[in-house]
Amino acid sequence: MIRGNQSFQKAANIALVMREIRHRSPISRTEISQVLGLTKSTVSTIVADLLEVGLLNESNLVPSETKGGRPRMKLELKKETACIVGVELDPSRYKSVIIDIDGTEISRSTGTIREDRRSKSWHPDPVSAFDSVFQEIRQQVESVHLPVIGIGVGIPGYIEPVKGRILRSTAFDVENMDYTRPLSEKYELPILVENDANCIAWGEIAAEESSDGSPEKPYENLITVLLQMHRDLQGRHLQSSPGIGCGIVMDGMVRYGENFAAGEFHSYRWHTESPGQLGSVHGGREAEDESRFIEEMLEELFQNLSLGVSLLSPARVVYAGDLLEYEGQMKRILSERMAGSFINPEVSGIPIDAARFGESAVAAGAAFMLLERLFLLPEVGRTRPEGMPTWNDVISKLRAETK
Amino acid sequence: MSRYLGIDLGGSTIKWTVLENSAFTPVETEETPGDKKAILSSLSGIIEREERLRGAMTAVCIGTPGLVDGKGRIRGDAVNLPGWGNQSPGGSFGTLGDRSPIVKNDGSLATLAEARLGAARDRRNVVGIFIGTGIGGGLIIDGNIYEGTAHLAGEVGHVVVEPGGAPCPCGKRGCVERYSSGTGMVRLAQEEADRIDSPLAEFLRKKNSEIIANGQEAREFSAERMYQDFYPTDELARTVHEISVDRLARLVGALINILAPEKLVLGGGVMKSADPILRSLKKKLPQYAVQEISKGCHIVPASLGSGAGAIGAALYASSITD
């Protein structure tokens, strides 16, 4: 919500100061001023606002290095001032995670989409699904007693995060839906939407932000893989084929490509009779076929993934969703049958790990998507989601809360 | 005065150009010598001559086939430059005279040139695929070469598109290069000639007899010749074309699905027969690429010709030293 050059500059300066405090805390005003090249008075004014609303802690940690000088006051992010909610929406269930502004997880929960929100064809309307979830996460939020900066929502499908639109979601059976604007207006909160596999990527990038500054950059270039079997509450498959999505991180940024379509999974074994994204797996999956089905699916998934790994040379592949359930089979297939599919030892030796937030990776990532964007320098461009708050907005909100 | 020398070291020719005052000198060419020592001597000679003629170079960049890591080492053996693999740190070319050249993969440099000045001019997210003796390529993300963590991104030739398929000198099976490169198409034609009777099969059988009789290679046959003299009337040529384009479409589909680029540039010697290849590729693509993504990606033939690698090398040298 940036208006005019002055407001933009102010928002950029606050983001710069917050980034420095996040990465180098505890840090003094003078050090921030030196590192950023901002005047001491600019830094002091920004810090005063941030202290006033409780986003920072100030402590007298280190004696001044100058003889006889005053001890320098050190600044760091203050926990438990405000929170961000992340939600993973699936046709039948949801997961939510609440994080602090320093990325600490405060709580997580999981639940089902209420029956009355689901249509006869099991496809719920994603707006109604969110309404159903919101009532439940409202209680979760109230229990942590913190103002909410915003909500990030992870949804399967083609998502246009800048305009908050669902371009197409097979799981929810919707196309070209203006999603976040009506929800943001209804709940008077910034609500952002992102593709679910991209959410995992945001969660992993956040891990880099909180890492110890090691020269290794495990999160700078990575591929995330999310597999969802879309089962109903009785464990029955809701779709004839699993949903598979990838997130691509290149040079530390989630990559969207043209029309926000990067990271699409489409097997080269797919053919016109294939029910979904895979080609080798056919319908009619009875219980006794389940094991064979999983085996075929995993092999085809990783055969295709080897193309992506060869082409992008990532540092890691991160998996989540129902792949967590098949870890044993997956690793066996990779070691027994996939040798020789990756381009060379440097690339084939890359780690293939579970996402850092495990089964809540999409929900946590949806929250981190909003948090990481808050710490990014505000930009007037195609990658800034409409309704994305700045630190100015956060400060205003916290001021209003304390009145 | 800043001056940048870009050299493209290929298996058969060395090409170079100088970028000065935002203008390139005409791309010059000489034959690639047969051994490593002679190649190094040729490269030194080119640098020396250009410096004598134009003045000291601010930077020199050499494009080479094969996997080039972040330290400029060629990893493994480049198909066209046998014996160059895993050279000492500091680059496969070490120091040439008093120059320490920057070494980059030739496909990445050619893609950079096409993205800045060629068929994908002013596009920031571009994929290049260059089909010649082998298959090279590159990824341009946000206007710059993307290399990935092991500096091996965009090495498209050795992507496995046929698990368990034809063995490749890289050690794997089913690399796209074994089906869709010039040598891959010749291999396919030789294999399929046992099964399909046609004028091309007859031609190849005759050549094979000559090889057996004379111990010589059948130099007269190439993918370019197949398209020029046999395609589309010959059944064997059509079969080779069909298989080769299908495997290429798997690669192109994967690239489009993963990256959703603005443009995908196809170049290289084999693409002199671009029309039938491009036509069939576009027909095949819906099987391998998601329609929503592929409709946003324009597949176009390269426009800078065989000098793209040298131009890209000079551009890269200028972009990292300016």
Side-chain angles (χ1 to χ4, degrees):
Chain A
M1 289 183 243
I2 296 169
R3 292 176 201 92
N5 285 342
Q6 211 175 1
S7 173
F8 180 85
Q9 190 57 54
K10 189 179 173 194
N13 286 344
I14 302 175
L16 280 167
V17 169
M18 285 298 274
R19 278 162 65 99
E20 281 309 306
I21 294 169
R22 184 192 202 192
H23 291 138
R24 294 168 191 258
S25 66
I27 185 171
S28 71
R29 291 172 180 78
T30 308
E31 287 162 337
I32 295 170
S33 163
Q34 284 164 353
V35 171
L36 296 178
L38 295 173
T39 63
K40 281 186 187 172
S41 70
T42 300
V43 173
S44 293
T45 306
I46 291 170
V47 166
D49 282 347
L50 295 167
L51 282 166
E52 180 209 328
V53 296
L55 283 166
L56 299 181
N57 262 335
E58 187 174 36
S59 54
N60 182 4
L61 287 174
V62 182
S64 171
E65 288 164 9
T66 55
K67 285 178 188 173
R70 284 185 302 164
R72 283 186 182 166
M73 304 301 280
K74 296 281 185 174
L75 302 160
E76 59 192 354
L77 295 181
K78 187 177 173 188
K79 286 180 187 289
E80 296 176 9
T81 304
C83 68
I84 295 171
V85 181
V87 181
E88 175 187 8
L89 270 188
D90 190 76
S92 60
R93 61 189 85 204
Y94 77 90
K95 288 171 185 158
S96 63
V97 168
I98 300 179
I99 60 169
D100 210 332
I101 58 158
D102 71 346
T104 308
E105 183 178 324
I106 301 173
S107 81
R108 64 167 73 185
S109 77
T110 183
T112 56
I113 307 293
R114 278 167 37 193
E115 286 286 345
D116 60 349
R117 302 290 182 177
R118 281 184 260 150
S119 68
K120 285 176 190 166
S121 65
W122 76 262
H123 285 298
D125 163 12
V127 173
S128 302
F130 184 85
D131 288 339
S132 154
V133 167
F134 189 81
Q135 302 311 321
E136 300 188 34
I137 57 175
R138 188 195 294 263
Q139 293 168 11
Q140 191 190 350
V141 167
E142 282 170 1
S143 71
V144 303
H145 305 293
L146 292 176
V148 179
I149 292 174
I151 300 177
V153 184
I155 280 183
Y158 290 100
I159 307 297
E160 214 276 38
V162 173
K163 291 186 176 162
R165 294 180 68 81
I166 300 173
L167 300 177
R168 183 162 66 81
S169 175
T170 309
F172 282 100
D173 196 24
V174 291
E175 279 188 12
N176 292 320
M177 175 182 268
D178 188 4
Y179 189 60
T180 58
R181 199 190 321 237
L183 287 177
S184 296
E185 284 169 8
K186 182 174 179 182
Y187 294 107
E188 297 179 330
L189 265 175
I191 295 174
L192 306 188
V193 67
E194 174 63 284
N195 166 270
D196 49 6
N198 281 347
C199 286
I200 300 168
W202 282 104
E204 298 296 319
I205 290 172
E208 163 78 350
E209 295 294 342
S210 57
S211 72
D212 57 3
S214 122
E216 295 291 318
K217 295 278 186 189
Y219 308 102
E220 200 167 61
N221 299 303
L222 60 93
I223 299 176
T224 66
V225 193
L226 176 67
L227 180 134
Q228 302 280 33
M229 300 301 283
H230 297 308
R231 294 188 182 101
D232 68 9
L233 301 178
Q234 283 72 47
R236 290 180 304 232
H237 294 286
L238 293 170
Q239 285 182 303
S240 55
S241 171
I244 302 169
C246 296
I248 310 290
V249 176
M250 299 166 96
D251 293 336
M253 303 283 288
V254 176
R255 295 289 163 179
Y256 293 101
E258 279 298 283
N259 305 321
F260 301 90
E264 178 64 12
F265 181 90
H266 182 86
S267 171
Y268 61 76
R269 288 162 69 180
W270 181 88
H271 48 87
T272 45
E273 286 81 38
S274 303
Q277 297 161 282
L278 296 166
S280 64
V281 180
H282 299 283
R285 296 197 307 273
E286 301 300 330
E288 63 268 25
D289 291 336
E290 184 77 4
S291 171
R292 186 178 57 83
F293 159 69
I294 299 296
E295 195 87 358
E296 283 179 12
M297 178 190 70
L298 292 175
E299 184 163 359
E300 187 176 350
L301 169 64
F302 282 98
Q303 277 172 353
N304 277 273
L305 195 59
S306 76
L307 271 75
V309 171
S310 296
L311 292 168
L312 301 185
S313 183
R316 298 165 72 219
V317 172
V318 172
Y319 59 86
D322 289 319
L323 283 173
L324 295 165
E325 198 182 315
Y326 309 128
E327 269 179 333
Q329 277 165 285
M330 199 177 81
K331 295 203 164 163
R332 182 174 50 74
I333 287 169
L334 279 169
S335 65
E336 285 176 8
R337 297 194 225 153
M338 294 302 296
S341 286
F342 293 119
I343 188 159
N344 60 32
E346 282 95 335
V347 178
S348 65
I350 63 167
I352 298 179
D353 302 324
R356 66 190 284 240
F357 289 99
E359 59 186 23
S360 291
V362 174
F368 277 108
M369 175 260 298
L370 208 149
L371 182 69
E372 291 305 309
R373 286 189 186 281
L374 205 48
F375 278 102
L376 286 176
L377 289 184
E379 51 183 326
V380 183
R382 62 197 288 264
T383 57
R384 182 180 178 77
E386 286 178 16
M388 174 66 209
T390 65
W391 286 112
N392 268 337
D393 301 318
V394 176
I395 290 167
S396 303
K397 184 182 181 76
L398 293 176
R399 274 203 185 113
E401 294 272 341
T402 51
K403 276 178 187 169
Chain B
M1 175 77 66
S2 298
R3 203 171 283 116
Y4 307 95
L5 174 59
I7 303 176
D8 181 14
L9 171 60
S12 54
T13 58
I14 302 174
K15 296 188 176 68
W16 70 96
T17 183
V18 174
L19 171 59
E20 190 176 358
N21 285 334
S22 308
F24 293 88
T25 59
V27 176
E28 295 186 61
T29 304
E30 68 178 42
E31 202 172 314
T32 308
D35 67 76
K36 188 173 157 186
K37 199 175 162 190
I39 289 175
L40 285 173
S41 167
S42 271
L43 294 171
S44 297
I46 291 166
I47 297 171
E48 206 180 296
R49 281 201 303 279
E50 289 297 334
E51 292 205 317
R52 206 182 313 125
L53 191 67
R54 306 176 201 282
M57 295 295 154
T58 312
V60 177
C61 176
I62 300 175
T64 158
L67 305 170
V68 181
D69 70 12
K71 292 174 180 164
R73 289 176 298 190
I74 300 174
R75 308 300 308 214
D77 269 349
V79 175
N80 295 334
L81 295 171
W84 280 75
N86 296 320
Q87 299 289 302
S88 60
S92 292
F93 300 95
T95 301
L96 292 165
D98 58 353
R99 294 278 160 215
S100 287
I102 304 155
V103 183
K104 283 275 159 200
N105 174 268
D106 54 0
S108 293
L109 294 172
T111 309
L112 181 70
E114 292 290 347
R116 297 255 175 101
L117 304 167
R121 189 177 186 132
D122 298 332
R123 302 297 174 131
R124 294 187 60 75
N125 297 303
V126 176
V127 172
I129 300 177
F130 298 91
I131 308 171
T133 318
I135 297 183
L139 311 179
I140 303 298
I141 302 295
D142 281 344
N144 296 307
I145 293 174
Y146 176 74
E147 299 179 322
T149 295
H151 299 272
L152 302 173
E155 183 51 46
V156 296
H158 296 278
V159 169
V160 174
V161 293
E162 184 70 60
C168 182
C170 77
K172 300 195 305 292
R173 284 177 169 272
C175 296
V176 68
E177 205 164 87
R178 301 301 288 152
Y179 300 90
S180 308
S181 68
T183 48
M185 288 188 205
V186 171
R187 180 193 68 80
L188 277 172
Q190 296 280 7
E191 271 181 22
E192 297 290 323
D194 293 339
R195 210 171 55 76
I196 298 168
D197 202 14
S198 76
L200 173 57
E202 182 59 30
F203 172 84
L204 290 173
R205 276 195 286 274
K206 201 174 144 205
K207 285 289 152 211
N208 286 340
S209 311
E210 284 173 17
I211 294 168
I212 293 162
N214 305 329
Q216 293 169 340
E217 285 183 30
R219 289 181 190 279
E220 292 85 349
F221 184 61
S222 64
E224 289 92 328
R225 180 150 185 206
M226 181 188 84
Y227 280 105
Q228 199 178 313
D229 296 346
F230 296 96
Y231 185 85
T233 51
D234 185 275
E235 193 191 340
L236 175 58
R238 281 200 310 274
T239 304
V240 170
H241 169 82
E242 184 69 21
I243 297 171
S244 140
V245 170
D246 181 79
R247 303 307 183 269
L248 180 65
R250 292 181 184 187
L251 170 70
V252 171
L255 276 162
I256 288 176
N257 294 337
I258 292 166
L259 289 174
E262 295 169 85
K263 275 201 176 179
L264 192 143
V265 178
L266 281 174
V270 171
M271 291 306 290
K272 284 174 189 158
S273 314
D275 282 356
I277 296 176
L278 269 177
R279 238 188 345 262
S280 303
L281 180 66
K282 286 178 180 173
K283 213 184 260 180
K284 271 273 172 198
L285 214 48
Q287 193 178 334
Y288 300 120
V290 178
Q291 206 187 347
E292 282 93 334
I293 311 179
S294 60
K295 71 184 178 192
C297 172
H298 301 283
I299 301 176
V300 292
S303 68
L304 296 177
S306 61
I311 293 169
L315 280 172
Y316 186 77
S318 73
S319 68
I320 66 160
T321 49
D322 270 350

